[in-house]
Amino acid sequence: MKKEEKLNFVLTKRHWIGISIATLLIVFLCCLGRIGEDVKNEEIVVNQRAFSGKMEYWTEPGFKWQMFGRTTSYYKTQQYWFGGKDIDGESHGKPIEVIFNDASVGYIYGSLRVKLPTDVEHLSRIQTAYTGMNRLMNDLVAQNVTKVIYASGPLMSAFESYAEKKNDLIAYITDQLMYGVYKTQVEEVVTIDAFTGEEKKIKVASLIHNNNAPQGYVRSETSPFSDYGVVVDQVSISKIEYDDKVNQQISAQQQANMSIQTKKAEALAAQQEAIKAESEGKAAAAKAKWEQEKLKATAVTKAEQEREVARLAAEQAEFDKKRIIAEGQAESEANRLKVAAGLSPQERAEWEYKTAVGIAKELAGSNVRWVPEIMINGNGSGNGNSAMDAVGFNMMLDILQKMNKK
């Protein structure tokens, strides 16, 4: 019996040792998550150690000894959406309401980027005030973004936020998130309603300039983001929804703008046509001018040619004149020499013959009555042709002899 009792006691001891080891293993496994922490690159982990309460801020990736401490994780950077959609098409949050200076209401959709600090001082403030990423985004980021966007509305009208001041709206939001909400002064001004065309009074908020203030504008408060070292940037507005009245105004203004642009395009086209016509007219005038120059050049060339021909003809005529004079002088000289030398009997007979023929021809062609037309002979007959011929011939010979003597 003693041996059996001893064996039972040994078995029981071993059993309890196994149970204890198993229990310790289970406890170790259960506490493994509080022994160490694997910090990811995109995370900031705050560890509050057990018992001592010492705070540790891990901003570098890698394994860290937690020593059963309580950890809080933050993202180094995170996108904040207000009524927009992420790249996967998932909607986040609600749009932020804004009231413009013309009392119109709009709903702004968009997003921005939130960047957390990595220094211990600011992380300690964040951990103390918000104790987690969700509370930080909801209580700090969301509240201040809503306030800033709401404060930006009175700086413009609804239509201005749609058109010429859309980029200004983004600049106002970004500037106030970084440096604090503007302190503004409100003035009542008279303007023309773009939709009705009637005058109306609106209250317009304007910025107060001060060179000593952040970015040159007076602030009603400092930015709470600066207190915690949080940086908010990359503000993006995807769209703004307006009430029905503003949408009608925008539609009417768009049509007016389209009409203006059409008129401008037509005026520009007319101007281009005028320029084209002027260019074509100048080109035609230049062409006509060059055609006239061409005709002028042709006429000048022709005149020069004719003048040259005339000059050559004159020179030829002068040459012919000199030649004829020379020939005449030569012939006259030759005749003179011949006369001086004396003609031969044959030449003299020929000369006398030609002279007599010529004189006779001239006498016959004259109208002078050299002899009577009627001569009566001795027998009483009126026919005296034979006698007249003889008388005429005798008179002709007498004339020839007188001319020869001369």
Side-chain angles (χ1 to χ4, degrees):
M1 293 298 295
K2 291 182 178 181
K3 291 182 178 180
E4 292 178 359
E5 291 177 357
K6 186 177 181 179
L7 180 60
N8 290 333
F9 175 77
V10 172
L11 293 174
T12 302
K13 184 178 180 179
R14 291 178 177 176
H15 177 70
W16 282 107
I17 291 172
I19 292 173
S20 299
I21 293 173
T23 301
L24 290 173
L25 182 60
I26 291 172
V27 172
F28 176 78
L29 292 174
C30 291
C31 296
L32 183 61
R34 302 191 64 180
I35 294 175
E37 179 77 18
D38 184 19
V39 180
K40 298 180 177 61
N41 184 49
E42 67 273 13
E43 288 182 332
I44 298 173
V45 178
V46 179
N47 180 46
Q48 182 179 357
R49 286 194 177 184
F51 307 110
S52 67
K54 181 181 178 180
M55 303 298 293
E56 295 177 321
Y57 301 92
W58 300 326
T59 58
E60 297 295 330
F63 183 81
K64 310 294 181 181
W65 289 104
Q66 185 176 346
M67 303 302 293
F68 299 100
R70 182 169 61 90
T71 59
T72 304
S73 296
Y74 296 89
Y75 288 106
K76 291 180 180 178
T77 177
Q78 184 170 330
Q79 194 78 2
Y80 174 71
W81 299 84
F82 41 96
K85 295 182 180 181
D86 58 21
I87 57 176
D88 298 324
E90 183 179 356
S91 299
H92 295 274
K94 296 180 180 180
I96 298 176
E97 184 181 61
V98 60
I99 300 177
F100 299 101
N101 60 20
D102 56 356
S104 301
V105 179
Y107 298 91
I108 298 180
Y109 293 73
S111 66
L112 50 83
R113 196 72 178 170
V114 179
K115 298 178 182 178
L116 269 62
T118 56
D119 62 284
V120 174
E121 180 182 356
H122 288 108
L123 288 176
S124 176
R125 293 180 186 178
I126 292 174
Q127 177 64 17
T128 301
Y130 301 105
T131 65
M133 193 68 186
N134 288 336
R135 285 192 59 188
L136 175 69
M137 297 299 290
N138 292 329
D139 297 348
L140 177 65
V141 177
Q143 297 301 320
N144 283 278
V145 170
T146 301
K147 179 174 63 177
V148 164
I149 291 179
Y150 191 84
S152 300
L155 299 174
M156 64 191 70
S157 66
F159 186 78
E160 288 175 335
S161 71
Y162 172 81
E164 63 266 24
K165 286 192 175 181
K166 186 174 184 179
N167 291 333
D168 292 340
L169 179 60
I170 296 176
Y172 291 151
I173 294 172
T174 303
D175 185 64
Q176 292 182 94
L177 288 172
M178 294 178 62
Y179 301 103
V181 176
Y182 297 128
K183 184 177 182 180
T184 59
Q185 55 187 6
V186 179
E187 296 177 332
E188 190 175 64
V189 298
V190 177
T191 185
I192 302 298
D193 193 311
F195 180 66
T196 62
E198 299 177 353
E199 289 187 355
K200 65 177 182 179
K201 294 182 179 181
I202 61 173
K203 293 182 178 181
V204 178
S206 59
L207 304 180
I208 302 174
H209 294 271
N210 188 335
N211 294 332
N212 297 324
Q215 301 300 106
Y217 300 111
V218 177
R219 313 282 169 161
S220 62
E221 62 177 22
T222 59
S223 172
F225 294 114
S226 61
D227 294 337
Y228 296 101
V230 176
V231 176
V232 179
D233 59 6
Q234 299 181 22
V235 178
S236 174
I237 295 178
S238 57
K239 68 174 180 177
I240 303 177
E241 288 185 351
Y242 303 95
D243 54 26
D244 293 339
K245 181 180 178 181
V246 177
N247 287 330
Q248 292 174 3
Q249 176 183 341
I250 291 173
S251 178
Q253 190 64 42
Q254 285 177 335
Q255 293 179 0
N257 290 340
M258 289 178 63
S259 177
I260 293 173
Q261 294 300 322
T262 301
K263 295 298 182 183
K264 287 183 177 180
E266 291 176 351
L268 182 60
Q271 183 179 4
Q272 293 298 323
E273 288 295 331
I275 293 174
K276 180 181 178 182
E278 182 180 1
S279 299
E280 290 178 349
K282 289 181 178 179
K287 183 179 179 181
K289 178 181 178 181
W290 283 112
E291 289 292 336
Q292 292 298 322
E293 292 293 332
K294 180 180 177 182
L295 294 175
K296 178 181 177 182
T298 302
V300 169
T301 302
K302 184 177 180 181
E304 290 178 350
Q305 290 177 347
E306 292 176 352
R307 183 175 62 189
E308 184 66 17
V309 170
R311 184 183 65 81
L312 293 176
E315 291 180 355
Q316 183 66 36
E318 184 67 21
F319 175 79
D320 291 342
K321 173 184 175 182
K322 292 179 179 180
R323 179 179 59 80
I324 292 171
I325 292 173
E327 289 177 353
Q329 290 177 348
E331 184 177 357
S332 176
E333 182 64 18
N335 291 334
R336 186 185 67 79
L337 293 175
K338 286 181 179 181
V339 172
L343 297 177
S344 63
Q346 183 179 354
E347 289 177 340
R348 187 173 185 84
E350 184 178 354
W351 181 81
E352 289 179 353
Y353 170 75
K354 290 181 178 180
T355 301
V357 172
I359 292 173
K361 185 176 180 180
E362 291 296 327
L363 291 175
S366 67
N367 295 321
V368 180
R369 301 291 184 181
W370 299 99
V371 294
E373 293 182 358
I374 300 174
M375 183 177 287
I376 301 174
N377 54 18
N379 56 10
S381 174
N383 187 5
N385 288 336
S386 299
M388 287 297 299
D389 290 340
V391 173
F393 183 73
N394 185 43
M395 291 178 66
M396 185 179 296
L397 289 176
D398 185 47
I399 293 171
L400 287 176
Q401 288 176 359
K402 290 178 180 181
M403 291 184 67
N404 286 333
K405 287 180 181 182
K406 291 180 179 180

